[in-house]
Every structure is written in C-alpha cells, then in structure tokens.
Amino acid sequence: MWDLRLYVIQRATAMLMVPLILAHLVIIFYATQTGISAEGILSRTAGSLGWAVFYGVFVVLAAVHGAIGVRTVLREWSPLRGGLLDAIMFIFAALLIGLGARAVVAVTMPGGLGT
Amino acid sequence: MTSADTISSETIDVSVWRGGAEGRYETFAVPLRQNQTILDVVTWIQRNADPTLSYRFACRVGMCGSCAMTVNGRPRWTCRTHVSKVVENGKVELGPLANLPVIKDLAADMTSFFEKWQKADGAFVPSKTRHDPIEEILPNTPARIEASAAIECINCGICFAACDTVRWQDEYLGPAALNRAWTLVNDERDAGKSDRLRAVAAAGGCHACHSHQSCEQHCPQKLNPTASIAGLKRLTMHAYLRGDL
C-alpha cells in the first residue's frame, strides 16, 4: 500500500499547508503594501523562533508534498518505475528541504545574515 | 430503399481507418439518409463498398456496448450516434477506440480493458448460498443509492478510450473497472470488499485518477465514473487510516 500511503501523506501535507499559505500571502501583501525594506523584514525575523518554526514547517511540508507530486508526474510521463522513482522522490525532497532550510536559517538566524 | 429514405442524392465523405497499428485512412462516399447512424454508415461501406472492412457490433440499440469507435476524434457508441449530429462539412472520420491495440480497421483489442476489470476485483463474491433465502435489498439505503447510480455500465470501453490517465499510465485500471468496483463495495450482498479495496488501492488503482472527468463527459450511459473513483479514494483512505489496509 505504498502508493496509498504516499497519497494520504500528500493530501495531509496539502491540508496542513492551506493555513500556512494564506498566512504567507497575507505577509507578502503586508510587506509590499507597507513599503517595508529588506533590512526591516530581516530585523523582525532574525532571532525569531516563531518565524523559524513557521517557515521551517512550511518548507518540510512543501518539500514532501512536491516530491510525491514529482514522482507521480515521472510515473506518467517517463518510463521510470519502482525503486528508481522512489529514489528520485527522496532525493528531490532532500534537495527542497536543504534549499528551504538554508533560506529559513538565513532569515531567522540570531543577528541575521542580511543585516 | 425508397426515395423517402434519402434526404437527397447527397453523399458524405467517410474516412475509415484501415489496417492495424500501421495503416491509413481510406475515404468512401456514402449516401446520406434520414435518421442514419454511424453504425449504418459503417455497415453500408461493408455491404456496398468493401466487404473486407472489420468492425464490431451486436445489438444495434445501445445495450451491448460492442460498437464503440472513434468518431471525428471522440469515442462514441456508433449505433446511437446520428450522422447529422457529428458530420462536419460533409465529412466523418472513423477510427478504432483509442488506448487499446488495433486488431484490424475499426476493431480494437479489448483484452486489457477486461483484464483490468478482473484486476480491480470486478467479479461479485457471494456471501450466501442458494439454500439461503433471497436477501431483501432496500432501494433507498445510502449504499444502494450509490450502487444504483453507477450500475448501468455496458462495458463499451468509451471511458477507457477517453481517459488521459489510461493513456499516460499502462497499469491504471481505468474508469469502467473502478466504477464496477465501486458498485460492488456498495453492494451489501458482496463478500469480497476488503480484497477489492486492496486491489483498487494498489499502484495504478483509484488514486492514479486525476479527476479530468473525460469519462463522465463521454459515457453514453451518462454515468459518472469520476464520482465512483472519488468514492473509492475516500473509502480506501478511511480504511488505511483505520489500519485496515
């Protein structure tokens, strides 16, 4: 039932991401409408455990969700099957988590990288 | 044929697929008649123009599901498709059903279609013997209403030919087989439910469906296999979360 497990995990991550995406959009609108600068944003996020958890969780959910989706696309649009498909899925998820974690650390590390 | 049968002396150009996987379209000029169906056209060609034309039909009245073909790019039951509804600029193009190998001309090989019915556990598993009294089935229970809404499938293969996921993924069971499984998991007399849920939840099962709804769009019986598959997705997910799968 590996495919069913992945299906359930992908739906669960989608549901969990809905409130995070809405919050993310609100934050983007807020940041762009109020004319806040990059330094201003980083001064608020640097050292903030709350933002680190918020975007850290977001990154993990998006990476898992997206990697399962990429596996589905490859299954339909490529001749890849079985273990190779799963290997690509895990590597893709690890890559997304790595890239995302790097960004989260950069903006929430105490002292901030950008300031 | 009397003159009353003909609309006029007009003909239509009918391009028909000839050959197997490799082949070409051959064009025939077929007299236009009143209330003429695509199956009438194919039969006219075989009887009057080329007796070697291969195609499949049986009942001619929309019950048996044998005569499905690709008509101007869309899968249709040809015995119930009037020429007047599908003719475009005096032309009709006929081919075998898509997503299935071609045997010859308009006859597609339905083997994989029916094998997938079996793979989806599409056979009824009796829960009683002939010695038991006949079970009373109430028509208004929620499960029976779901089963009845999906039960009138005639196995024509039109949904299978219309489905993008069938085209993309060899092992996908397809709308008809999954729709059949849905009718059985809602049948209170059936004893094969847990095996069937396992069969439709495996790779290539109901979770591969993208809900494009081409099956619903093309089904000549106006069934909605997408809704049946969505039902299977819900049932299998609940069974999985309960630890039953």
Side-chain angles (χ1 to χ4, degrees):
Chain A
M1 293 293 107
W2 177 235
D3 281 63
L4 176 55
R5 176 175 295 181
L6 293 178
Y7 177 89
V8 171
I9 292 171
Q10 199 185 28
R11 267 64 191 172
T13 50
M15 286 197 306
L16 292 171
M17 273 195 292
V18 168
L20 302 187
I21 291 166
L22 290 175
H24 183 59
L25 288 174
V26 168
I27 292 162
I28 290 171
F29 280 122
Y30 172 75
T32 53
Q33 292 302 309
T34 55
I36 190 170
S37 65
E39 286 75 20
I41 293 171
L42 287 171
S43 70
R44 296 176 188 205
T45 57
S48 163
L49 183 65
W51 286 123
V53 170
F54 179 88
Y55 278 109
V57 169
F58 203 162
V59 160
V60 172
L61 291 173
V64 171
H65 184 85
I68 296 172
V70 165
R71 178 182 181 273
T72 304
V73 172
L74 288 176
R75 182 186 209 117
E76 291 181 355
W77 289 12
S78 82
L80 299 173
R81 289 290 178 273
L84 198 55
L85 267 183
D86 291 334
I88 292 171
M89 175 183 72
F90 283 119
I91 291 167
F92 191 68
L95 188 72
L96 288 181
I97 288 173
L99 289 170
R102 185 167 163 268
V104 172
V105 167
V107 296
T108 61
M109 211 168 73
L113 284 185
T115 55
Chain B
M1 187 180 73
T2 65
S3 61
D5 293 329
T6 59
I7 294 174
S8 66
S9 57
E10 276 181 77
T11 59
I12 48 169
D13 289 335
V14 183
S15 298
V16 182
W17 181 257
R18 302 308 304 270
E22 298 291 320
R24 63 193 170 80
Y25 281 96
E26 187 178 350
T27 304
F28 299 90
V30 179
L32 202 55
R33 292 179 187 172
Q34 281 185 344
N35 302 320
Q36 186 179 27
T37 65
I38 294 296
L39 185 62
D40 293 334
V41 165
V42 177
T43 301
W44 187 93
I45 293 170
Q46 198 203 44
R47 290 186 182 173
N48 299 284
D50 186 348
T52 67
L53 178 66
S54 300
Y55 65 109
R56 198 185 276 127
F57 77 98
C59 77
R60 301 169 297 147
V61 290
M63 290 173 68
C64 74
S66 314
C67 69
M69 299 171 199
T70 306
V71 183
N72 284 348
R74 286 172 167 262
R76 292 181 181 277
W77 52 354
T78 56
C79 70
R80 300 290 298 271
T81 301
H82 280 242
V83 171
S84 57
K85 283 193 178 170
V86 293
V87 67
E88 289 171 7
N89 303 320
K91 291 180 181 167
V92 172
E93 186 186 89
L94 303 178
L97 279 183
N99 295 341
L100 293 162
V102 188
I103 298 173
K104 179 175 172 284
D105 303 340
L106 300 171
D109 183 352
M110 306 289 285
T111 307
S112 66
F113 175 72
F114 287 113
E115 278 177 353
K116 286 175 175 179
W117 277 59
Q118 293 177 318
K119 211 172 163 192
D121 268 5
F124 177 72
V125 180
S127 53
K128 304 217 165 145
T129 70
R130 66 181 62 202
H131 305 297
D132 294 308
I134 292 173
E135 195 162 345
E136 186 183 7
I137 303 296
L138 296 173
N140 56 356
T141 61
R144 191 62 236 171
I145 290 168
E146 294 281 7
S148 296
I151 204 76
E152 297 289 349
C153 175
I154 57 172
N155 318 356
C156 62
I158 285 176
C159 57
F160 194 85
C163 177
D164 296 317
T165 313
V166 169
R167 185 164 72 248
W168 292 330
Q169 197 174 327
D170 285 350
E171 59 188 339
Y172 178 49
L173 297 173
L178 291 168
N179 182 72
R180 169 65 180 168
W182 173 244
T183 63
L184 289 173
V185 297
N186 282 296
D187 189 334
E188 58 190 284
R189 301 165 301 166
D190 183 84
K193 290 186 178 57
S194 64
D195 284 348
R196 190 168 297 109
L197 283 186
R198 201 167 284 282
V200 300
C206 60
H207 303 103
C209 169
H210 289 293
S211 306
H212 288 177
Q213 296 182 287
S214 297
C215 50
E216 183 199 6
Q217 184 73 31
H218 291 88
C219 176
Q221 292 286 77
K222 303 268 186 281
L223 303 184
N224 187 353
T226 310
S228 301
I229 295 166
L232 288 175
K233 287 176 181 174
R234 278 196 304 275
L235 276 188
T236 49
M237 192 155 87
H238 291 157
Y240 174 78
L241 294 175
R242 282 197 309 269
D244 295 342
L245 275 182

